[in-house]
């Protein structure tokens, strides 16, 4: 049996997204900057996609800027922070210890430019406490970046409360919503979000496409210079097939969200119920405020890497640390920031499910997980 259960790393393209993309590749392939009919058609598809994406996050279409994915959107948001910080002289930034490297690394780089960054630790359940956030606010805080949902443990952060604190204190608020968009409802206005990053391949859209939302045009800063596309903010011929595929996938996810998330949670519960029967198993991160398809588990005396390989041999794809860290096997900084010792953090795997998984697959994962963990624990006892 082949079972793909690494959907936080990337997802299968939806059939309807593939159909729209095929149309773009073979029928509407004109450059959207062209003034002939093919260009005009491409441009109108692009603008339709922008409006559709804006609608799903309750934004205005003018606030959507297309990018190459989550990493670019996050880097761009930090560039905006840098620019506003330089102009105003306010150089304090608040972020968290559970951010993806696409936020963390550009923020670290700002230190060389005189910025001071406070990285807040999550609580043991993987959630940022809004009162810890509020305590970190200083008169010179210019920007804050707190992810909507974590990629390792799936915990959903109290974004609305944090957004409210930012708005009250005049802080630009960015959220990396790469793991949230298409999976849980996001409303940029109600959540006081100024900047938001998203990536299509996390919600059954294509890889290499994403967007940055900006609700405050006065802070926008060009990111890529050239031909002046995206209102001169992000030059380069637009990836029309990718953008249209992304919009189609997002519209589909938004329409079926309640139903799909209940289904995916049911699959997770099937595996969770087996995990409770395995000796030395502990689930990492809050089970209450969590993405429906995420299960992150540590097993005593079992290396995550060995378990991953054993499951792979049974046809099951999961991940050990965050797969987004390019195959890295370094101890997971997210788990460690939650107070989990480095050794235990290495003993964890992440199973992430999607609507394309079946109940039979979930039962198969549960059974193979139990079998493999017990085998590895026995080996450890014997040697
Ligand atoms: C939370 C988070 N942010 C950013 C990214 C980077 O997105 P992309 O792969 O589209 O560059 C990822 C990817 O895994 C992610 O999980």
């Amino acid at each position: 049996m082949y079972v793909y259960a690494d959907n936080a790393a990337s997802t299968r393209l939806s059939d309807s997204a593939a159909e729209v993309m095929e149309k773009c590749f073979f029928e509407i392939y004109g450059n959207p900057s062209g003034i002939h009919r093919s260009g005009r058609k491409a441009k109108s598809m692009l603008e339709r996609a922008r409006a559709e994406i804006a609608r799903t996050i309750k934004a205005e279409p003018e606030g959507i800027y297309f990018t190459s994915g989550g990493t670019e959107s996050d880097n761009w948001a930090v560039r905006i922070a840098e620019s506003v910080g330089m102009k105003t002289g306010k150089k304090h930034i608040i972020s968290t210890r559970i951010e993806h490297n696409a936020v963390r690394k550009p923020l670290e780089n700002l230190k060389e430019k005189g910025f001071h960054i406070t990285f807040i630790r999550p609580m043991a359940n993987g959630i940022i406490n809004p009162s810890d956030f509020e305590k970190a606010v200083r008169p010179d805080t210019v920007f804050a970046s707190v992810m909507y949902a974590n990629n390792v443990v799936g915990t959903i952060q109290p974004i609305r409360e944090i957004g409210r604190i930012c708005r009250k204190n005049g802080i630009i608020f960015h959220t990396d919503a790469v793991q949230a968009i298409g999976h849980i409802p996001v409303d940029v206005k109600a959540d006081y979000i100024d900047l938001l990053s998203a990536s299509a391949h996390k919600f059954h859209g294509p890889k290499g496409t994403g967007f940055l939302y900006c609700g405050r045009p006065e802070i926008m800063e060009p990111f890529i210079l050239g031909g002046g596309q995206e209102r001169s903010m992000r030059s380069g011929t637009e990836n029309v097939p990718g953008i249209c595929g992304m919009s189609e996938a997002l519209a589909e996810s938004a329409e079926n969200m309640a139903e799909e998330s209940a289904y995916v949670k049911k699959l997770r519960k099937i595996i969770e119920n087996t995990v409770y029967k395995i000796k030395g198993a502990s689930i990492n991160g809050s089970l209450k405020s969590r993405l429906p398809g995420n299960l992150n588990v540590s097993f005593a005396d079992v290396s995550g890497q060995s378990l991953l390989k054993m499951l792979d041999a049974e046809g099951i794809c999961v991940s050990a640390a965050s797969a987004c860290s390019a195959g890295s096997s370094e101890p997971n900084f997210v788990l460690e920031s939650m107070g989990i010792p480095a050794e235990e953090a290495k003993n964890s795997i992440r199973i992430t499910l999607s609507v394309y998984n079946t109940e039979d697959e979930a039962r198969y994962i549960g059974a193979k997980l139990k079998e493999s963990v017990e085998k590895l624990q026995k080996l450890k006892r014997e040697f």
Side-chain angles (χ1 to χ4, degrees):
M1 200 175 201
Y2 165 68
V3 186
Y4 182 79
D6 196 15
N7 288 280
S10 201
T11 58
R12 173 202 191 277
L13 188 69
S14 87
D15 294 341
S16 55
E19 233 171 78
V20 174
M21 291 178 75
E22 193 176 354
K23 194 167 165 201
C24 295
F25 282 127
F26 299 113
E27 293 172 35
I28 308 153
Y29 42 79
N31 189 315
S33 298
I35 51 173
H36 45 65
R37 66 191 58 212
S38 179
R40 287 200 309 273
K41 180 77 185 135
K43 176 83 178 156
S44 102
M45 298 230 356
L46 201 65
E47 294 315 318
R48 211 176 321 142
R50 197 187 308 279
E52 180 59 44
I53 287 167
R55 194 180 62 80
T56 61
I57 60 165
K58 309 254 169 42
E60 313 301 335
E62 304 76 60
I64 306 295
Y65 296 86
F66 297 122
T67 66
S68 65
T71 303
E72 183 185 328
S73 302
D74 285 341
N75 273 262
W76 194 352
V78 175
R79 172 74 65 80
I80 292 168
E82 177 185 347
S83 157
V84 177
M86 288 299 196
K87 280 182 205 146
T88 58
K90 289 168 86 178
K91 288 191 167 180
H92 177 239
I93 289 173
I94 307 173
S95 190
T96 80
R97 297 223 195 158
I98 60 170
E99 296 306 309
H100 190 274
N101 277 333
V103 166
R104 197 165 73 117
K105 293 204 172 167
L107 282 180
E108 293 278 2
N109 277 352
L110 284 189
K111 287 183 185 167
E112 289 161 19
K113 296 181 176 162
F115 283 78
H116 183 262
I117 328 284
T118 305
F119 288 104
I120 300 173
R121 206 181 242 286
M123 296 182 282
N125 63 2
I127 293 178
I128 300 296
N129 186 341
S131 77
D132 289 343
F133 181 91
E134 193 156 27
K135 277 183 218 139
V137 173
R138 304 190 332 200
D140 62 341
T141 308
V142 64
F143 177 84
S145 185
V146 178
M147 71 196 328
Y148 213 110
N150 181 259
N151 48 307
V152 177
V153 285
T155 45
I156 300 168
Q157 304 304 321
I159 289 302
R160 191 160 299 176
E161 286 170 80
I162 292 172
R164 195 180 289 122
I165 296 166
C166 288
R167 191 61 56 88
K168 195 173 81 187
N169 290 280
I171 300 165
I172 298 166
F173 181 43
H174 168 248
T175 185
D176 173 343
V178 165
Q179 294 289 339
I181 293 285
H183 300 281
I184 53 173
V186 172
D187 179 333
V188 289
K189 303 264 166 65
D191 289 343
Y192 308 97
I193 294 166
D194 297 315
L195 292 161
L196 174 145
S197 305
S199 178
H201 73 112
K202 309 291 186 176
F203 51 81
H204 306 290
K207 291 171 183 61
T209 312
F211 65 89
L212 176 72
Y213 157 77
C214 177
R216 293 175 56 182
E218 77 281 6
I219 61 169
M220 262 321 258
E221 178 76 15
F223 195 52
I224 300 181
L225 303 177
Q229 290 88 346
E230 293 299 279
R231 288 149 285 156
S232 295
M233 292 293 164
R234 201 274 185 186
S235 289
T237 301
E238 300 88 340
N239 174 3
V240 181
I243 291 165
C244 293
M246 165 163 68
S247 144
E248 181 66 27
L250 189 54
E252 215 181 353
S253 305
E255 196 181 324
N256 306 319
M257 194 176 280
E259 206 180 297
E260 289 189 357
S261 106
Y263 172 71
V264 169
K265 192 168 174 185
K266 185 166 112 188
L267 300 184
R268 182 185 99 204
K269 288 281 168 199
I270 293 175
I271 306 174
E272 222 180 283
N273 289 337
T274 313
V275 163
Y276 292 130
K277 294 181 194 142
I278 304 175
K279 232 170 114 188
S282 56
I283 295 175
N284 301 311
S286 163
L287 276 172
K288 263 200 219 138
S289 184
R290 191 185 193 99
L291 292 171
N294 176 298
L295 191 61
N296 187 305
V297 207
S298 299
F299 298 99
D301 299 326
V302 172
S303 121
Q305 291 288 336
S306 311
L307 182 56
L308 182 148
K309 285 178 195 151
M310 216 167 206
L311 290 173
D312 188 33
E314 302 286 356
I316 301 170
C317 305
V318 298
S319 85
S322 151
C324 329
S325 309
S328 147
S329 61
E330 57 184 78
N332 195 293
F333 63 81
V334 171
L335 296 176
E336 284 192 53
S337 74
M338 291 160 57
I340 296 171
E343 264 320 297
E344 210 178 304
K346 275 188 181 168
N347 294 354
S348 80
I349 60 160
R350 178 187 71 178
I351 301 165
T352 45
L353 304 158
S354 88
V355 72
Y356 290 95
N357 291 116
T358 63
E359 289 189 30
D360 272 352
E361 288 180 351
R363 279 189 285 273
Y364 180 73
I365 296 176
K368 289 296 168 192
L369 196 57
K370 187 163 188 301
E371 199 180 295
S372 310
V373 168
E374 287 171 355
K375 234 184 245 174
L376 288 166
Q377 285 174 334
K378 186 164 176 279
L379 273 172
K380 174 98 186 205
R381 276 196 307 274
E382 287 170 1
F383 288 98

